Each structure stands twice: as C-alpha cells, then as structure tokens.
Amino acid sequence: MNAVSPIVCCLLCAAVMASSGLLSFLFARTRSVYLWLGCLGGVVGCILGAVAVFAARLSPGRSDLRVQWNLPVGSFHIGIDAISSFFLLVLCVVCASTTFYTLGHIGAQRGARGAAHQLGWSNLVMAAMVMVLLARDALLFIMAWEVMSVASFFLVTCDHERDDVRRGGYVYLVASHIGTVFIFLHFAWMYRHFGSLDLDQWAAAQSGRAVPSAPAFLFALIGFGTKAGVFPLHFWMPQTYCAAPSPAAAMMSGVLKKLGIYGIIRAVLCMGQEPSWWGVTLVGLGAVTGIVGVLLALSARDLKRTLAYSSAENIGIILLGLGLGIMGKSDHNPVLAFLGFGGALFHVLNHALFKGLLFEIAGQVLLQTGQLNMNLLGGLLKRMPVTGALFLIASLAACGLPPFNGFIGEWLLYVGALDGAHSSDPHVAIVAVLALAALALIGSLALACFARAFGATFLGNPRTPAVDRAQEGGALLLVPMAALAALCAALGVFPLWGLRLASPAIAQLAGPAPVPATASSMLRSFSHLAVALLALAAVLLLARWFMLRRRSVNRAATWGCGYIAPTPRIQTSASSFSYPLLTNFNAVVAQRANRFPTSSVFAAEHQQTLEYQDIAAERWIFPFVQALSNFLTRLQVLQQGRIQLYLLYLFGALVILLGWQLLVS
Amino acid sequence: MAIRILHIAWFLLMPPLLLGVINRVKAWFAGRRGQPLLQTYWDVARLFRKGAVFSHTSSWVFQIGAAIQLAAVFCAAIILPSSSPVSPFGFVGDVVAFAYLLGLGRIFTVLSALDTGSSFEGLGASREVTIATFAEPTLFLALAALCIPAHGISFGHIWGAATGDANLWHRAPSIAAAISLFIVMLAESSRIPVDDPTTHLELTMVHEVMVLDHSGPDFAFITLGSALKLFLMGSLILHAILPNSFASTGAQALTFFVGQLAIAACVGVVESVIARYRLNRVPQFLIAAAVVAVLAIAIQFYRGVA
C-alpha cells in the first residue's frame, strides 16, 4: 500500500472514468458494449479512488503534483489532503452504487441512444468531480468546475424530447453559471490580493494572520452556495431533479451538492483566521435553508421534488455545523470546533448515503408505476417488499432517528450547540441556543416529511391502478441499494468507524487539537445503546409472536366507524397529511386553496385545488429574472442579423480601443 | 448492581399506576367513585391474553410498529435517571438521544396508523406530527435551560450538580423549565388540553385514533408506551424541581414516588378543569411553553451563570 502513490491513483481514477465515458459515446450503437463499458468503467474508477483515499491515509501529510502548462497563469497543481480524501471517499462510495444501479436501471428500460449518452455524461461528470477535488490551482479548479457543470447539464437533459426536462435543464444551466461567476469573482479577488493562483499558497500565507476579506467570503458563499442549494439560491433544485434521470439525480444530490460544501470549506480554509461573524452568517443561513427546505418538501406532491427539497434541508444542517465549527474556532473552544465540523462532515457522508438511496428507490418507483405523484400511489409495500423496506431504512436515516447514521451527525451538532451555550461570549451562547432550536424544528419537520413520503407511497391502499403493475426489481437493482442501506445501518450502530474515517479531515478543519476523548466515549456509549435498542425490539417481537401463536388471529376490513362503503380514495393522501402542518407556516410556504363555490343545494360534486408557493423562488428570483430578461430583450435591437452591421460594430470597437490607447499612453 | 435493578424496576412497575391516579382524580372531580387504582395493570394483563385482529390493508410495518415503539420508549427510560440523580446507563449527550428515541417511537406509531389505509387514523397521524413539530423544539429548549448551569451535557451532570438552593431567584430558571416541561408532557402523552385520551371522535382525534386498529398484545404495548412516556416526563419535571441533597436512598426513592403521584394528580386536575383547546390553538399553547423555556435561558444568561 505504501508503494502506491495516492496522486497517481487519483489521476488513474479520473482517467478511467473519463475514458469510459468517452468510449460510451463512441459505441453508442451497440447496447451491450456501452452498457458494460460505461458501468464497469465507472465502478472501476470508484474503486481506484477508494484505493487512493486509503493510500493517502496510510502516508499522512500532503502529497501533490505540479506541472507547468502553456497557459499564461497558474500551473497544473493537484494534491490530495485530508479534506479532499474525505470528499473523494464520499464520491467513490455513492458513485459506485449509482453506476451499478444505472446498469440495472437502463437494462430494465427500452430506448437505446439516450442511455449511451446518459452513461457517457455521467462518467464525465464523475471524472470532473474528481479533478475538482484534486485541484490546487484556481484556474484548474474553475476549468474542472465548468466541465462538471456543463457535463451535468447534458446529463440532466438526457430525455430532451420532454418539455419539462428541457426547462429544468435550462434553469440548472443558468443557476450553475450564476454560481460560476461568483466563484470566478472570488478567485479574482484572491489573485489580486496574493498575486498567485495557487490555493496552497493562499492558505500558507494567511495562516496566523487575522486579515481576512469579507467580499471574498461572500463571493465564495454565493458562488458555491448556488451549487449547494443554499436559501435563496435553491430555486433550481426541484425542476432539475425531476427532469434528471433517477441515477443522475442520485449522484447529483449525493455528491454534486457536496462539492458546493467542499468549495465553501476550501475557501474558508484558504482565508486563514475566520472571524466569528462568518460563523454566525453560516449558522443563520443554515437554519433558514433547513427550515424552508423541509417545509417545501412537505408541500411537494411529487416524490422526487420532496427529495430535492429535503436535500436543501440537509445542506442547511451541514452549513449550521460549519458555522458552529467556525464560531468554535474563533472563540478558541476546541470542543465546539471539533463537534461543529465533525457533525457537518459526518452529515456530508450520511446525507450522500441515504439521499442516494432515496433517489434510487424513487427511480424504481417511477420505472414500475410510471407515476411519482404521491397522491396517486399507495400500497406499494406489498408489491415491492424489499424496495419498501430499503425506503423505510433510508427514511429513518433521513429523519435522523437512532439507530441509523443520520442521527450521529445531528447528535454531534446538538452536543456542540449545547456546549456552545456554556460559552462566556454572550454572542456565541445566544447563537448556539438559536442553532439548537432550529435543529430541533428541522428534525421534527423532517420526521413529518418522511413519514408522509413513506406512508403515502408505500402504505395503505393503492389509490390508482398504476400501482397494480409494479413488481420487485431484479437483483442487479437491489444489490447497490441494499449496499447503501447496509452502510446507513452500519455507520449508525458503529459510529466509531465513521469517526475514524472523518477524523483527519476534522483535524484539518478544526485545528491540530486531538480528538476529544468525550467524542469517542459518547459514540461508543451510543453503539451500546443502539445494540440494546435492537435487542429489546427483537425480544418484544419474539414475546409478541409467542403470545399470538396460540391465540386467534384474524384479518378483517379496516375499522371505519361503521361506514359501509370505503374506497381507496378516502384514505389520507400526502397533501391532506401535510395540510394542518403547513397552515401554521403560511409565511414561508404560501398556501392557496381555491374552493369553487358549490352550485346547488344538494350538490353532487365539489371541486377544490390546493397549491403551495415557494416564496423565495416565485416572489423574488423568478420575477427578478423575468424583469432582467424583459430589459435585455430591448437590447435585441442591436442584433439585426445583417453581417454588415456586425462588421460595423467590430470596426467601431477597434476605433474606440485604438483611440483609448493613443489617449492614455 | 442493586441501583441498576432499582432503576429498571421503577419504569417497569410504576407507570400504569400513574394512569390509575389520573383517572381517580378525574372521577373525584366528576363526583364518581372511579375505576380501581390498579386497573391499568389488569387491563394490560388482559390484553396480553387476547388474540388480535389485523386489517387486510396493513403490512409488516403494522406488525412491528407497536413493539418497536415500546422498545424505543424503554431505551429512553433506561438512559433517563429515575430516583437517583444519575442513571447507571447515562452518557454524555444522552439528552438528545432521549428526545430522538421518543421520536422513533412516534414515527412508528404514525406509520402503523398510515398502514391501515383509514382516513381516521391518517388524520390522527397528521395532527400528531403537527403537534410534535411544536413540542420537540420546546422540549429541547427546556432541556437546554436545565443544561446551561450544569456545564455538562448529560442528565447525570444536570442533576448531579443541582443544589436545591432556597433562593427563588436562583431557582426561577428551573421552575420555568419545569412549567415548560409540564406543558410538553401534556402534549407528549396526549392529555387535555392537547388531546382527549378518553375518546377518538373527530374533535379529539390525535393519539387515540392512531391506535384504533391495534388489538391484543399490540394495544398492550401502546398503553404501556404512553404510560411510560407520562412517567418519563414526570421524572424530568421532578428532577428539575427537587433538590438533590437527600439523607438516604430510601428517602430519595420515597420522595420520587410521592412526587410522581403528585404530578399525575396535577395532570388529573388540569384534565378536569380545562376543556380541550381548538386545534389551531394548540401550536400557540406549545409556543407559549417554548417562550417560557427561552425566558429560563435568558434569566441564566443575564445572571451570567453560563
């Protein structure tokens, strides 16, 4: 293992992914060739990436590679440090599962050409993400980021015959590039300040100095926040995730959004001593993103939309953790710093695992029933028992309930917030208490959201005949999903493994203080509690089976309080489940119920529509974009389509520039 | 070892007695004699001897739901101290694990309700999560108010450090937190004015209607679970109010026992005197409890205890 250079391994990983992607395009006519080439290439690339991560752990310290290139600025400088290797591990695990899943997903579908392109772009996105994680030079970073954005745009619009897919892809492209502009501004600001484009030089020059710059931080936050889906820049998510094919949505939600978080972390690291207002900003943004995200998830009818908004909620939790960690660092509280950053990084890993699994299952549901509207599903558990069980595990993990892995990350953040409440600095204490309240609210709303999603889709009676043709998927589809679920359970019951994985990255973020002993003892005690919980549940189930074995057990219709003609449509739907809850949050998610007046005294039918409005998107972003578009349309008068006019513009611009040069020099 | 057995014995044996006390107090207010104090024990024993009827619609989620709910509440009871200030099974950060274990129990009851495909049970489930949305942050704020002066994040730290100061100004945050916890207890164990535990009709459909389809041993598990939640929240309140300095373990145990009965009697009084609130006033009620908890935290920050 020591002989394997981590850098070479990572480069090989990116190369294998990129080449298998390009080969998939080349062999787009032959289905078996591109399918196996693309998927095996992706999985082999992920394995190489995981090998690189473990090789990097065995040879601690930074390893990098620097090559001069022909461009006027920068150099080809790549390196792998603790944080890069942690995110690379997350990427490899989730992408291996989604690529494997793509094999079964495409195999179960008709239609050849779109599938080859999907695989090709998917592998290219993975390769670009690996390069983003490795890049140590700002120009190389931007180049890899752009390739990632454009390739993921093409990945999202694979099914481009459909109108909503094109629209979703377009919104994604625009949002991506808004983010890229701000990232570019951030790098330009740092270049002007330092005179070089090397990220390592920025970090080395700043360490110990307390002169960070606010505009650089804000540019980085807006730029990377657009990719991560921070409020109010989360508007692109639902349309994009509904438009993208399900394996792509799984990869994008699990890994691509984390690259936004990686960017924020890298920017904060490069800027050295962080003032505490950055931490307060991140905590505030995180709390708002989390609460708005989960409320919008409760209002969505489409399963993939719910999962997309729930990703925003989890990004909010991660940002909250980063904010708490930064506050801990500036307050010289190593425990708070460790718990804040630790909780954030744990949640990065856990969210990637359970969200990837949730999107894969949503893809299965769409494939089998052709329907993602939760108000038209129901009763899928009896037809797809294994898939339903995996969705239950993923939902419990997403709610952050013990004994699954989602609880661990949130638990570290709670303990961090309670520790921060003891701080002598009143600002830190107040923000910590607010973070605690926000986390509790997000947690309870998430419980409602996932109980609703699982209950409406899998439990109860089928609401429409679309459910009747659903079947369990083959082993090829179930194995990658079950692998992710097993990881969710394992990291929940044995969280010390997760701590061992994440501790180099946490140490790089929080400072060189050693792992607080309380953290490991906490997680060990929780292990015991989780095992006790499972054992108790088993004992009670055994006792129940024993008691019912010799008694009469009958089946009957559900008690309906004497109502003699129940239909599947009278059961609680997804919309009616969340209606009482969302009535209380009208200021955040505007609820509009149109009740058409009843026509006669003994009315035979009644009609009502209920819709929810995302305030940030519908009242701020989209009207602003529309106004901007209207203004820019007026400038179309410049584009007459005649080449003589364009030549005149060129001539005019040359004259002006030459005149300027003459006047200035 | 004896402490561990005593700790487990408390929460295995005492909770159904609390339900009996509440029912007797309500009966006394109504001028009746009321059911025997130990009635809930006989009820649970009878339910364990019965068979069960399951709905055609429900699946294996319904079969495991009640058992997992009880297992989760049992685990929460293990980590919460009972008569002694420190639980033998506690650890750092167990306050959060406590709240989330109760959440695990809640989600499985909600999923069992949705599994029956009944409109009644689904309505009860949606109201339950609405109430829980406001009850959980209140619970966390109250626990934070208790954690802040203790400089530790475990139940053992909180109550190991409590001194039972006679000065009311020094005890005010704990008393405010106890009031907040009392209101959360009314919400968590589905008591009036949040929910009516004696009926499952439309007006009062929250918890009772979610368990409409449970029968036999499952219903016994549900009854034990809700009684245990009442016991656990009563434990929290007692530990917030009572001083820590006792002469002997026996005196401490006796005070704990009498205190739990007193809190159950208070719940009975509240149930007999107030009517159930309209459903859109319940969030306001819980937010008022949260404000009281924030007041407790603010008092401590102002005094500079933190």
Side-chain angles (χ1 to χ4, degrees):
Chain A
M1 229 4 151
N2 279 326
V4 175
S5 159
I7 283 289
V8 168
C9 229
C10 286
L11 278 176
L12 212 60
C13 155
V16 164
M17 287 176 180
S19 53
S20 67
L22 290 170
L23 285 174
S24 299
F25 287 119
L26 216 55
F27 290 105
R29 300 291 165 93
T30 331
R31 188 182 170 87
S32 47
V33 172
Y34 74 68
L35 200 61
W36 285 95
L37 196 64
C39 294
L40 277 181
V43 173
V44 164
C46 292
I47 295 177
L48 282 170
V51 164
V53 166
F54 287 114
R57 285 176 69 88
L58 287 173
S59 49
R62 243 175 331 133
S63 58
D64 49 359
L65 174 72
R66 193 194 199 118
V67 173
Q68 281 299 121
W69 59 16
N70 292 332
L71 298 170
V73 285
S75 59
F76 186 84
H77 186 191
I78 56 175
I80 179 165
D81 60 358
I83 296 193
S84 292
S85 68
F86 181 76
F87 278 88
L88 191 60
L89 184 68
V90 172
L91 189 153
C92 290
V93 169
V94 176
C95 285
S97 172
T98 51
T99 314
F100 210 146
Y101 173 81
T102 314
L103 189 59
H105 189 76
I106 293 182
Q109 273 176 324
R110 300 87 25 213
R113 269 197 71 211
H117 289 189
Q118 182 182 332
L119 267 173
W121 290 119
S122 170
N123 283 1
L124 279 175
V125 170
M126 291 195 305
M129 288 197 287
V130 171
M131 287 312 292
V132 166
L133 288 175
L134 292 178
R136 286 281 172 277
D137 180 80
L139 196 55
L140 179 64
F141 189 99
I142 286 256
M143 280 165 50
W145 190 271
E146 263 305 291
V147 171
M148 185 183 78
S149 301
V150 172
S152 52
F153 162 71
F154 284 115
L155 180 61
V156 164
T157 52
C158 266
D159 209 2
H160 52 82
E161 284 91 19
R162 279 169 42 194
D163 213 11
D164 56 335
V165 169
R166 283 201 306 274
R167 203 169 33 233
Y170 185 59
V171 170
Y172 175 64
L173 191 64
V174 169
S176 249
H177 283 92
I178 293 175
T180 310
V181 164
F182 278 97
I183 297 173
F184 193 79
L185 281 173
H186 164 76
F187 284 148
W189 187 280
M190 300 290 274
Y191 178 56
R192 208 186 67 155
H193 203 260
F194 285 106
S196 102
L197 279 177
D198 198 283
L199 274 77
D200 287 340
Q201 278 189 13
W202 296 347
Q206 276 282 38
S207 59
R209 253 204 300 179
V211 203
S213 37
F217 172 70
L218 288 173
F219 287 148
L221 189 61
I222 298 177
F224 291 115
T226 314
K227 181 63 79 181
V230 171
F231 180 87
L233 302 160
H234 62 278
F235 59 91
W236 54 271
M237 286 189 326
Q239 299 184 30
T240 307
Y241 287 125
C242 289
S246 314
M251 181 182 65
M252 284 172 66
S253 170
V255 189
L256 206 59
K257 300 191 82 169
K258 305 304 183 304
L259 288 189
I261 299 288
Y262 170 77
I264 295 178
I265 291 179
R266 187 61 66 187
V268 163
L269 269 184
C270 284
M271 290 195 267
Q273 188 80 359
E274 310 91 354
S276 82
W277 70 264
W278 289 5
V280 174
T281 313
L282 283 179
V283 167
L285 258 184
V288 171
T289 308
I291 295 174
V292 170
V294 72
L295 283 173
L296 286 167
L298 275 166
S299 72
R301 267 191 330 239
D302 185 296
L303 183 60
K304 268 207 221 170
R305 249 181 118 93
T306 304
L307 296 176
Y309 279 127
S310 157
S311 294
E313 167 220 333
N314 287 292
I315 294 287
I317 296 177
I318 297 172
L319 276 182
L320 208 92
L322 286 178
L324 282 175
I326 291 179
M327 273 178 10
K329 262 182 94 167
S330 70
D331 196 36
H332 303 287
N333 185 348
V335 176
L336 177 59
F338 182 88
L339 289 172
F341 287 127
L345 287 178
F346 261 89
H347 208 77
V348 164
L349 175 60
N350 296 335
H351 175 237
L353 290 175
F354 62 68
K355 198 41 76 68
L357 178 57
L358 284 169
F359 268 108
E360 287 177 0
I361 297 177
Q364 256 302 78
V365 169
L366 180 62
L367 202 61
Q368 296 294 334
T369 62
Q371 183 65 258
L372 274 177
N373 185 345
M374 290 190 281
N375 291 337
L376 300 178
L377 289 171
L380 274 175
L381 190 61
K382 298 209 170 139
R383 287 162 182 78
M384 303 163 78
V386 180
T387 311
L390 293 176
F391 196 94
L392 179 62
I393 293 177
S395 302
L396 291 176
C399 296
L401 293 171
F404 294 103
N405 59 351
F407 176 67
I408 306 293
E410 293 193 28
W411 190 31
L412 290 179
L413 292 182
Y414 274 111
V415 176
L418 283 171
D419 187 81
H422 293 143
S423 156
S424 50
D425 183 0
H427 298 135
V428 174
I430 292 176
V431 171
V433 169
L434 287 175
L436 182 80
L439 273 173
L441 185 60
I442 294 174
S444 53
L445 285 171
L447 191 147
C449 174
F450 282 99
R452 167 185 185 257
F454 182 64
T457 314
F458 286 92
L459 300 178
N461 288 316
R463 292 181 184 85
T464 53
V467 176
D468 292 333
R469 60 190 173 101
Q471 288 173 356
E472 192 64 85
L476 208 54
L477 281 162
L478 290 179
V479 162
M481 299 198 288
L484 283 180
L487 278 174
C488 283
L491 281 176
V493 180
F494 302 109
L496 281 173
W497 297 348
L499 187 66
R500 228 174 294 155
L501 276 176
S503 42
I506 305 176
Q508 186 181 358
L509 271 176
V515 173
T518 45
S520 358
S521 73
M522 227 166 81
L523 294 178
R524 192 173 301 119
S525 311
F526 179 73
S527 261
H528 299 159
L529 185 69
V531 171
L533 174 65
L534 292 171
L536 257 176
V539 162
L540 283 172
L541 284 170
L542 207 62
R544 177 183 175 274
W545 174 77
F546 198 70
M547 278 188 271
L548 284 177
R549 211 168 44 136
R550 291 197 227 107
R551 315 277 159 70
S552 72
V553 175
N554 298 317
R555 289 262 171 186
T558 308
W559 171 242
C561 282
Y563 186 58
I564 57 169
T567 71
R569 287 206 52 199
I570 67 171
Q571 65 184 335
T572 311
S573 65
S575 304
S576 53
F577 188 86
S578 56
Y579 177 76
L581 186 50
L582 289 175
T583 321
N584 292 309
F585 290 100
N586 214 358
V588 178
V589 179
Q591 185 180 71
R592 259 198 256 122
N594 299 320
R595 296 189 177 89
F596 300 97
T598 332
S599 51
S600 70
V601 178
F602 294 106
E605 65 177 31
H606 174 76
Q607 200 181 14
Q608 164 175 311
T609 63
L610 186 67
E611 59 179 25
Y612 293 100
Q613 210 188 39
D614 175 3
I615 295 212
E618 309 275 335
R619 292 201 199 159
W620 302 345
I621 307 254
F622 289 142
F624 171 71
V625 168
Q626 190 63 41
L628 193 63
S629 168
N630 291 341
F631 169 69
L632 290 175
T633 312
R634 302 232 193 94
L635 292 180
Q636 264 189 343
V637 72
L638 289 173
Q639 286 183 311
Q640 298 284 351
R642 288 160 61 190
I643 198 163
Q644 294 92 332
L645 205 59
Y646 296 159
L647 285 172
L648 194 61
Y649 290 154
L650 280 171
F651 182 66
L654 267 175
V655 165
I656 292 176
L657 286 172
L658 283 172
W660 179 312
Q661 189 69 6
L662 279 173
L663 286 173
V664 165
S665 67
Chain B
M1 192 63 201
I3 296 184
R4 292 181 188 215
I5 294 183
L6 180 66
H7 177 69
I8 295 182
W10 272 119
F11 70 78
L12 276 183
L13 297 177
M14 195 180 172
L17 180 61
L18 298 176
L19 286 182
V21 167
I22 296 178
N23 287 331
R24 274 299 262 255
V25 168
K26 283 165 71 169
W28 179 75
F29 264 89
R32 292 182 280 119
R33 194 177 147 80
Q35 37 179 278
L37 270 178
L38 304 179
Q39 180 62 37
T40 315
Y41 293 100
W42 309 137
D43 282 342
V44 167
R46 174 177 51 94
L47 285 168
F48 277 139
R49 287 196 303 265
K50 286 185 133 185
V53 177
F54 298 118
S55 157
H56 289 302
T57 317
S58 63
S59 60
W60 54 264
V61 171
F62 187 87
Q63 305 281 329
I64 66 174
I68 294 190
Q69 178 253 345
L70 187 60
V73 183
F74 265 159
C75 280
I78 287 176
I79 59 181
L80 187 68
S82 49
S83 62
S84 57
V86 181
S87 160
F89 304 99
F91 50 92
V92 174
D94 56 6
V95 293
V96 182
F98 172 77
Y100 270 71
L101 281 167
L102 292 183
L104 180 67
R106 188 190 342 269
I107 199 177
F108 268 98
T109 316
V110 164
L111 289 177
S112 302
L114 290 173
D115 201 15
T116 59
S118 155
S119 48
F120 292 110
E121 309 204 15
L123 190 58
S126 87
R127 289 172 175 185
E128 165 82 12
V129 297
T130 310
I131 293 173
T133 306
F134 295 99
E136 270 206 32
T138 311
L139 176 65
F140 269 105
L141 283 171
L143 287 174
L146 292 173
C147 274
I148 286 177
H151 289 276
I153 309 162
S154 160
F155 288 123
H157 278 135
I158 297 176
W159 296 321
T163 51
D165 211 335
N167 188 341
L168 200 63
W169 177 233
H170 287 178
R171 305 279 312 284
S174 310
I175 296 178
I179 294 175
S180 183
L181 284 171
F182 185 75
I183 296 177
V184 171
M185 176 165 107
L186 293 176
E188 284 270 347
S189 36
S190 310
R191 299 271 135 198
I192 289 177
V194 173
D195 178 20
D196 191 344
T198 55
T199 73
H200 58 266
L201 306 172
E202 157 103 46
L203 287 177
T204 61
M205 264 186 211
V206 183
H207 186 265
E208 282 305 308
V209 78
M210 275 202 299
V211 300
L212 208 52
D213 239 57
H214 294 254
S215 52
D218 284 332
F219 193 53
F221 287 156
I222 298 279
T223 313
L224 283 176
S226 55
L228 192 51
K229 276 205 270 195
L230 201 61
F231 175 84
L232 291 177
M233 300 302 297
S235 253
L236 273 176
I237 297 173
L238 278 180
H239 281 290
I241 307 179
L242 290 181
N244 187 20
S245 46
F246 274 106
S248 68
T249 320
Q252 202 165 38
L254 187 64
T255 320
F256 183 74
F257 182 74
V258 170
Q260 284 278 14
L261 294 182
I263 291 181
C266 285
V267 172
V269 168
V270 165
E271 290 220 319
S272 312
V273 167
I274 314 181
R276 188 183 161 284
Y277 286 151
R278 269 185 69 182
L279 211 50
N280 61 352
R281 294 234 285 153
V282 171
Q284 298 173 9
F285 183 52
L286 289 167
I287 291 177
V291 167
V292 170
V294 168
L295 196 63
I297 297 177
I299 294 176
Q300 285 168 342
F301 280 164
Y302 179 69
R303 270 178 41 214
V305 170

